[in-house]
Amino acid sequence: MSALLPTYRPADLAFERGEGAYLYATDGRRFLDFTSGIAVNALGYSHPKLVSALTEQGGKIWHCSNLFRIPDQERLAGRLVANSFADRAFFCNSGAEAVECGIKMLRKYHDDNGDPERYRIICAENAFHGRTLTTISAGGQPKHTVGFGPLVDGFDHVAFGNLNELRMAITHETAGILLEPVLGEGGIIVAEPQYLRDVRAVADEFGLLLFFDEVQTGMGRTGKLFAYEHADVTPDVIALAKGLGGGFPIGACLATERAAVGMTAGTHGSTFGGNPLAMAVANAVLDVMLEPGFLDHVAAAGKKLQSALARIAAEYPKAIAEVRGLGLLIGVKCAVPNTDFQAALRAKGLLAATAGDNVVRLLPPLIVGESEIAEACAMIEETCAEIAA
Ligand code: PLP
C-alpha cells in the first residue's frame, strides 16, 4: 500500500530508462512511447543536447530566485519573443501557472484601463486549463470541479467552435476570451482556422483580449512552433509549458506589450519560476526546435501518421470511428471503449494516452522517425484486427 495521495490511477508499469522514442521498463520490457509524458518529452528521452545542458548547468548554479538577474532567462524570453507574436515572457513551473498568469493579466489590463468591472473570461465547454482552483473554474468541467466549490467566479462557457454563442456571451463585464486552439483533453478537436480568425475579430470589436492556451499545442507539437500560426491569427496572450522544457518542469506566459502593461514589479511572481536549471534546458530545447527543418519534420511525420491511421480506420470501422488532429497531436476516436483500446496497444508494446470523447491520444516525441511510425501503425492495425474479429 503506497503512502501517496491516491489521485492517480497509474498503470502497473515503471521505467528505468528511456532512449529516443523508447522506454525500458523495470521488468525488462521495451515500449514505443507515444505518450511522451503527456506531450512533454518533445525531443524524446535522453536527447544528448538536453542531457548535456542539464548536467553542465547542474555543476554551476541551480537556483538563485528572481531577486537577481538570470541571464539565461533573459535569453530565453528574447528568443521566444523573437519567434512569436509576443513582446514579454513570464516564467513559471507548470501549465496551470502559465494560464493563471494570463488570467491575472487579462483582469489587470482592464483594471488599469479604468474598467475593473471587466473581469469575466469566456472559455470553451470541455476545455482543460489545469487543476488549480482558478484553472478548474476556467475549464468548467464537473468531473474536475465537483466537491471543490465555491469555484473562482468569472468564467462563462460556450460551445467550442460556435461563434454565435460566443458573441451572445459577451457582456459589459467581459475581459477576454480563453481558448485552446485544439481542444486537447477534451478529445483533440481542432478549431477551424476561420473560427479563430472570427474570434479575433470579435475580440477586437468588443475590446477584449484574446488568450490562447498553448500548453499542449505549443512548442512544435502541431508542426508549427505555435498552433495559432496555422490560423494566421495573432493572440494577445498565450500560455506554454509541456514541450518547452522537454521534460524539465517549466511554464511560460507570453504577451504583447499592450496586454502585459499592468504586470509591473511586484504584481506577480514565482520563487522557482525561470530558475537557471529550467532555463538551460529550455534554451537547449529551443536550439533544437529552431534548427532548419525541425518543424517541417514534425509536420511531415504528423501527415504520415495521420494518413496511415486514416487507412486503418477505413479498414476497421468496428475499431476506429474517426482520426483527427494537427501535426503530432492526434486523436483516434474509438468504436470500443478507449481504455480497452489503450490497454490492447500497451500489451503489444505501444504506449498511448486517452482524452475525452472516447479518444486514444497519440503524442509521439517530435523526433519520431518513419520506422517508429510504421512500427506503431503495425501495432495499431493488429489491435484493430483483433477488435474486429
Ligand atoms: N492547459 C492545457 C491545454 C493542458 O493540456 C494542460 C495539461 O494537460 C494544462 C493547461 C495544465 O498543465 P499542468 O498540468 O502543467 O499544470
Side-chain angles (χ1 to χ4, degrees):
M1 181 70 180
S2 159
L4 288 168
L5 196 66
T7 56
Y8 302 110
R9 251 179 262 104
D12 189 16
L13 198 53
F15 303 106
E16 56 185 18
R17 72 189 174 87
E19 210 177 296
Y22 292 93
L23 275 171
Y24 297 83
T26 47
D27 62 10
R29 282 182 291 167
R30 185 179 90 141
F31 292 88
L32 178 56
D33 179 26
F34 275 23
T35 68
S36 300
I38 321 186
V40 167
N41 305 318
L43 305 186
Y45 295 95
S46 309
H47 191 289
K49 289 196 175 149
L50 301 197
V51 172
S52 70
L54 184 72
T55 49
E56 269 174 40
Q57 188 61 42
K60 293 183 192 166
I61 179 168
W62 298 8
H63 179 80
C64 61
S65 89
N66 291 291
L67 292 174
F68 307 99
R69 285 180 69 174
I70 298 173
D72 271 353
Q73 200 183 105
E74 294 176 22
R75 177 161 175 262
L76 182 63
R79 300 173 82 199
L80 288 171
V81 158
N83 286 283
S84 73
F85 71 98
D87 307 305
R88 297 280 177 187
F90 176 85
F91 295 108
C92 48
N93 315 287
S94 67
E97 282 175 83
V99 175
E100 181 96 21
C101 175
I103 290 169
K104 287 176 71 177
M105 195 182 288
L106 264 54
R107 290 187 173 194
K108 188 73 164 57
Y109 168 85
H110 290 288
D111 191 80
D112 278 15
N113 277 347
D115 298 316
E117 74 287 357
R118 296 183 75 166
Y119 70 97
R120 303 193 70 82
I121 297 175
I122 299 175
C123 303
E125 288 163 4
N126 292 320
F128 184 74
H129 300 297
R131 293 295 200 119
T132 64
L133 197 49
T134 302
T135 53
I136 60 171
S137 304
Q141 296 199 47
K143 68 179 178 194
H144 299 140
T145 58
V146 167
F148 295 109
L151 297 179
V152 175
D153 181 32
F155 299 98
D156 300 305
H157 294 90
V158 298
F160 187 69
N162 186 324
L163 194 71
N164 283 339
E165 262 195 42
L166 190 146
R167 283 187 77 95
M168 296 285 285
I170 297 170
T171 71
H172 67 285
E173 291 183 333
T174 306
I177 300 162
L178 166 58
L179 292 175
E180 296 161 81
V182 179
L183 270 192
E185 301 285 325
I188 315 296
I189 297 167
V190 184
E192 289 292 333
Q194 189 58 46
Y195 172 67
L196 297 181
R197 286 193 286 272
D198 289 343
V199 170
R200 173 76 267 179
V202 168
D204 291 342
E205 183 183 343
F206 291 92
L208 313 177
L209 292 179
L210 180 57
F211 177 9
F212 287 150
D213 179 344
E214 293 236 25
V215 166
Q216 186 156 189
T217 55
M219 303 314 294
R221 175 57 54 188
T222 67
K224 296 204 181 272
L225 197 54
F226 306 108
Y228 70 78
E229 297 172 47
H230 290 281
D232 207 13
V233 163
T234 306
D236 301 295
V237 182
I238 63 172
L240 297 175
K242 292 194 182 276
L244 178 58
F248 198 95
I250 170 173
C253 182
L254 308 188
T256 61
E257 185 69 44
R258 182 178 77 101
V261 71
M263 304 302 281
T264 52
T267 55
H268 194 54
S270 162
T271 299
F272 293 120
N275 89 4
L277 267 188
M279 296 299 102
V281 178
N283 270 307
V285 168
L286 207 53
D287 287 342
V288 176
M289 288 192 181
L290 295 178
E291 275 170 17
F294 181 88
L295 294 169
D296 293 340
H297 163 79
V298 178
K303 271 204 186 110
K304 185 151 281 174
L305 179 52
Q306 281 205 53
S307 64
L309 291 168
R311 183 191 61 73
I312 298 170
E315 201 159 323
Y316 298 102
K318 280 191 187 151
I320 297 179
E322 191 188 350
V323 176
R324 58 201 186 208
L326 201 55
L328 287 172
L329 177 54
I330 298 175
V332 175
K333 184 170 162 134
C334 299
V336 294
N338 58 349
T339 46
D340 292 353
F341 201 106
Q342 178 194 38
L345 292 177
R346 189 162 65 227
K348 296 197 184 310
L350 177 65
L351 303 178
T354 58
D357 197 30
N358 204 36
V359 160
V360 160
R361 191 169 21 155
L362 300 177
L363 302 160
L366 307 185
I367 46 103
V368 71
E370 285 195 19
S371 66
E372 292 147 349
I373 289 176
E375 192 185 336
C377 287
M379 289 189 263
I380 292 166
E381 185 154 8
E382 268 176 48
T383 299
C384 289
E386 284 169 15
I387 290 168

